[in-house]
Amino acid sequence: RGPSHVVLPGAERIQALVGTPVALDWYWWHHTPYDTHFPDYLPPREGAESFRGAVNRLHAADLRAIVYINGRLWGTRAPSWQAKQAKRAACKRADGDIYHELYCIFDPAEAEVTPMCPATDLWQSTVAELVRNILAYGLDGVYLDQIAHTEPAPCHDATHGHPAGGGTHWRDGYRALVQRARSAA
């Protein structure tokens, strides 16, 4: 977790210790505060050139690297929340309100996040574009957190094209999201 000068030496030491190629699962590589402002990860926190150099350094040492992004949440204080009108693609409660979640306890005013409806084109295209842009730095993959282990947020938004509050839209939406991300990669 952190910038390359903190993260890379540890990965290199582990590889030397075990004597076989390893992969780095890199957290907090992005410029935004930890666990806030999803999906506004880019640019990398240390700048594009330095980050690309770090990935090249890993590859030269026969190490691989993937980075973390959240595949389920959008930060309601992220600049893109307003710019992309993300609320229209958020999961809605039966009363029409969005869900409110908090993971970063250090800056709660900036940290509210909400689950996005995986059946929406906006969320699928946002994640796919993000994956494409991240992989352009030479990374070997992107870890989409929360899509496989976090319980669904029942979505009641009739404009999303799925049954209100149930059905298979969560599973089907994530399947489509992952397929779009893979195609973008």
Side-chain angles (χ1 to χ4, degrees), residues 125 127-133 135 178-185:
S125 63
V127 172
E129 178 184 356
L130 182 58
V131 166
R132 181 178 50 77
N133 291 337
L135 291 178
V178 169
Q179 288 171 344
R180 286 179 75 171
R182 291 183 88 169
S183 293

Side-chain angles (χ1 to χ4, degrees), residues 10-184:
E12 291 164 337
R13 281 192 307 274
I14 289 171
Q15 179 167 284
L17 196 67
V18 298
T20 189
V22 299
L24 170 63
D25 184 5
W26 198 339
Y27 281 69
W28 207 10
W29 58 275
H30 47 85
H31 78 280
T32 57
Y34 196 71
D35 276 348
T36 69
H37 296 149
F38 309 138
D40 295 0
Y41 297 98
L42 296 172
R45 73 189 302 180
E46 63 193 72
E49 187 175 325
S50 176
F51 188 70
R52 200 172 272 112
V55 173
N56 290 339
R57 174 178 157 185
L58 289 167
H59 288 162
D62 203 22
L63 282 151
R64 298 294 168 250
I66 64 172
V67 294
Y68 158 93
I69 66 170
N70 195 295
R72 178 178 162 266
L73 302 170
W74 203 315
T76 59
R77 299 295 294 257
S80 63
W81 176 259
Q82 292 297 329
K84 289 191 170 189
Q85 300 175 347
K87 186 175 182 177
R88 61 190 161 101
C91 290
K92 308 290 188 322
R93 298 178 179 277
D95 66 4
D97 193 15
I98 63 171
Y99 292 84
H100 304 274
E101 296 182 13
L102 183 68
Y103 292 88
C104 176
I105 60 170
F106 304 107
D107 191 5
E110 287 293 315
E112 182 186 276
V113 292
T114 190
M116 300 305 292
C117 182
T120 62
D121 180 68
L122 176 61
W123 186 237
Q124 290 178 15
S125 63
T126 296
V127 172
E129 178 184 356
L130 182 58
V131 166
R132 181 178 50 77
N133 291 337
I134 288 170
L135 291 178
Y137 288 94
L139 289 151
D140 301 289
V142 177
Y143 165 53
L144 303 176
D145 194 27
Q146 290 197 346
I147 66 172
H149 68 72
T150 305
E151 70 181 56
C155 183
H156 296 268
D157 191 322
T159 68
H160 292 179
H162 58 69
T168 61
H169 72 279
W170 197 261
R171 180 201 66 210
D172 298 341
Y174 277 128
R175 180 173 289 131
L177 180 147
V178 169
Q179 288 171 344
R180 286 179 75 171
R182 291 183 88 169
S183 293

